[in-house]
Amino acid sequence: MIDLRLVRENPDLVRASQRARGADESLVDALLAADAERRAAVKAADDLRGEQKAASQAVRKASPEERPAVLERAKALAAQVKQAEEAERTADAALHALHLRIPNVVHPDVPPGGEDDAVEIRTVGELPAYDFEVRDHLQIGEALGAIDMERGAKVSGARFYFLTGPGALLEFALAQLAITRAVAAGFIPVIAPALVKPEAMEGTGFTGEHDEEIYRVERDDLYLVGTSEVALAGMHAREVLDLSAGPRRYAGWSSCFRREAGSYGKDTRGIIRVHWFDKVEMFSFCAPEEAEAEHRRLLQWEEEFLQLLELPYRVVDIAAGDLGTSAARKFDIEAWFPSQGAYRELTSTSDCTTFQSRRLAIRSRDADGKPQPVATLNGTLCAIARTIACLLEVHQRADGSVHVPAALRPWLGGHEVLTPGMSLTAVAAPGLPA
RNA sequence: GGAGGCUUCGCCUAGUCCGGUCUAUGGCGCCGCACUGCUAAUGCGGUUUGGGUUAAUCCCCAUCCCGGGUUCAAAUCCCGGAGCCUCCGCCA
């Protein structure tokens, strides 16, 4: 949630942010009114409680003769306090409900507009040219024995898949490369839970407008995460972190689950948009004043990863109307999918400033030693299924084989190419005993 | 799934049986000051978090795992829940 002091002191800034998002501007004034009401209710209840406390002491000290009268007064006050506390709770709940409905304040440099108004920042890598008819990743994957959609549907339904043979090995290779890179950059590797409590989901801002996107396990009141960001952010809920040595960075691996409600008919083919995939996610806790620089660093790590995979891509600055609830700013990296002749989102990094940490009560001590909300940032290092799809397409060859980028070879037995029908028995990490 | 134990202001801890200056004790750590050639030791003072109020200080309210209840009054009594530990059962 956003900083209430900002709303009080600079409501126009928040109104402008709401406008930029295409969200309801009047919420800001409703919030201000609710805030004033809550403060009045708090003051009334506090004052009454103070009186009651004194009265309660008086009961104890009263002589036997005056005791009945004093007790009478204390009882009356107790009843008033009860009423005042009820009013306080109501006012507080009203404020909280409004507070939760307001998304993060957008960064001033965010481009205006909606989904189609992302601004291209740069393109990197040469678009490949093919002197044969380009196949899509599913055709290539099926020929390689790497992807089995039909049986995925048989077992789990639409948008489920099996990764088999070289596909399964590719998943591990990508995960290894991602985690290895992240650890080398100073990230703490984490295997995060994929089922979380409602609190963690709410804290990261996913339950509001994205509710339809989330799998819920009713019986146990748990959610399946759509990204390990949820667990990683929740990891330090209600803690005071020591960030004096710089940002605290985690690289989390987890399965991710998405209902994809409302995307019927979109990307129905292959493993570009699926209900479940595995992902290595970067997550950073840092001082608010460092957030923008950290955001650029996350973006850079994402770019380096795609460069290692030899995938051409472009970086886009997401427009205000297309930002998630928690994000003040978001950069996507879109990689080239030859079968579509288009760039498609492969990774995404968001600066959530103090929005998530305020909800989750994640703080660090400022220069005065006072706990203050930290900034949280997240970025995809590798969304594995979609990355496999992109790799297969970009690195395809006329004979149905697929070029293996050098960076992945250590985990694919040193093979420079994946070929239909190849034997996997030789695929082992070099240096391991046979 | 069953039985028992535990949870106090950074860490440890007193207090809970028997409700009332608990405005929560003490130790460690940390910060400041004094003493000291310097350090150590010692002494004195400070040190939970959130909210309200304020120009700021002061002050006020809440906070003893969480949520209810009883009471004029709850760390303390009652009910519900969470987490941790031990044992039994089951299990990869």
Side-chain angles (χ1 to χ4, degrees):
Chain A
M1 52 191 137
I2 60 172
D3 188 352
L4 270 182
R5 267 173 314 179
L6 181 71
V7 184
R8 284 176 204 152
E9 288 162 17
N10 203 341
D12 283 336
L13 191 75
V14 184
R15 285 191 194 99
S17 167
Q18 287 291 94
R19 221 176 302 133
R21 281 179 177 272
D24 186 357
E25 213 177 316
S26 73
L27 276 178
V28 178
D29 295 287
L31 185 71
L32 277 172
D35 179 46
E37 256 174 67
R38 186 196 77 103
R39 281 188 288 170
V42 164
K43 179 141 178 50
D46 275 3
D47 290 349
L48 272 170
R49 260 194 298 263
E51 275 187 65
Q52 189 206 17
K53 250 170 101 169
S56 173
Q57 283 301 326
V59 169
R60 187 158 173 265
K61 289 176 186 151
S63 64
E65 307 84 71
E66 52 189 20
R67 199 182 149 86
V70 175
L71 194 62
E72 188 81 5
R73 182 176 136 69
K75 281 186 181 180
L77 270 170
Q80 286 181 53
V81 166
K82 210 165 185 176
Q83 263 194 324
E85 284 182 338
E86 184 56 42
E88 187 182 359
R89 264 194 298 274
T90 307
D92 199 63
L95 173 68
H96 192 66
L98 277 165
H99 202 174
L100 285 183
R101 286 180 58 195
I102 300 193
N104 204 352
V105 177
V106 302
H107 188 281
D109 295 344
V110 166
E115 201 175 343
D116 302 322
D117 298 306
V119 171
E120 182 177 293
I121 295 178
R122 60 179 160 270
T123 64
V124 175
E126 290 284 308
L127 292 191
Y130 304 92
D131 53 8
F132 54 91
E133 197 176 332
V134 166
R135 281 167 286 232
D136 71 22
H137 72 274
L138 186 55
Q139 290 174 297
I140 303 160
E142 283 177 339
L144 274 176
I147 303 173
D148 188 339
M149 292 301 293
E150 275 182 38
R151 293 196 176 90
K154 178 166 73 180
V155 170
S156 303
R159 294 199 192 281
F160 285 92
Y161 57 97
F162 282 89
L163 290 180
T164 56
L169 293 176
L170 260 178
E171 153 123 8
F172 285 124
L174 283 166
Q176 287 281 10
L177 179 63
I179 289 288
T180 304
R181 294 282 301 172
V183 170
F187 285 77
I188 301 164
V190 175
I191 313 295
L195 280 163
V196 300
K197 294 184 190 178
E199 174 205 308
M201 221 35 142
E202 281 155 19
T204 36
F206 283 101
T207 36
E209 56 194 280
H210 297 285
D211 199 57
E212 285 289 294
E213 262 300 285
I214 302 166
Y215 283 104
R216 181 152 181 212
V217 183
E218 283 288 344
R219 183 165 156 167
D220 297 288
D221 200 22
L222 291 169
Y223 291 103
L224 282 161
V225 299
T227 160
S228 58
E229 170 193 346
V230 177
L232 292 172
M235 198 173 168
H236 287 302
R238 295 180 300 279
E239 290 183 30
V240 179
L241 299 177
D242 181 4
L243 296 178
S244 55
R248 174 96 66 112
R249 303 191 179 103
Y250 293 102
W253 184 94
S254 87
S255 290
C256 304
F257 302 90
R258 300 186 179 184
R259 294 185 67 236
E260 296 297 345
S263 65
Y264 305 112
K266 241 196 231 172
D267 300 315
T268 50
R269 198 174 150 74
I271 56 172
I272 287 181
R273 188 179 297 275
V274 287
H275 286 312
W276 147 77
F277 59 96
D278 299 316
K279 178 157 68 77
V280 177
E281 178 83 359
M282 299 180 284
F283 198 89
S284 182
F285 299 90
C286 74
E289 60 273 16
E290 245 188 286
E292 277 189 54
E294 183 71 357
H295 199 193
R296 298 296 173 154
R297 286 190 283 265
L298 291 180
L299 180 58
Q300 168 136 19
W301 280 311
E302 290 184 357
E303 290 192 55
E304 286 170 6
F305 190 76
L306 294 189
Q307 287 162 20
L308 282 172
L309 297 182
E310 301 163 25
L311 298 175
Y313 62 85
R314 64 173 192 163
V315 179
V316 298
D317 195 350
I318 298 300
D322 199 24
L323 288 176
T325 307
S326 298
R329 194 167 201 190
K330 177 160 98 168
F331 300 115
D332 280 3
I333 300 183
E334 301 177 340
W336 182 251
F337 278 73
S339 75
Q340 303 187 10
Y343 287 104
R344 298 295 313 271
E345 178 185 342
L346 212 53
T347 72
S348 176
T349 177
S350 294
D351 177 0
C352 299
T353 63
T354 56
F355 188 83
Q356 294 178 328
S357 65
R358 226 175 275 284
R359 287 189 182 186
L360 291 165
I362 307 168
R363 298 169 297 168
S364 70
R365 298 201 180 268
D366 63 14
D368 299 326
K370 286 284 288 177
Q372 301 288 355
V374 303
T376 59
L377 301 99
N378 61 80
T380 321
L381 194 51
C382 183
I384 294 174
R386 197 176 280 191
T387 302
I388 288 176
C390 188
L391 272 173
L392 294 181
E393 292 208 2
V394 170
H395 295 315
Q396 66 180 297
R397 295 175 170 187
D399 62 0
S401 65
V402 173
H403 161 76
V404 176
L408 286 176
R409 290 177 202 160
W411 292 285
L412 288 170
H415 286 285
E416 293 177 19
V417 62
L418 298 175
T419 317
M422 71 188 289
S423 163
L424 296 178
T425 53
V427 178
L432 288 184

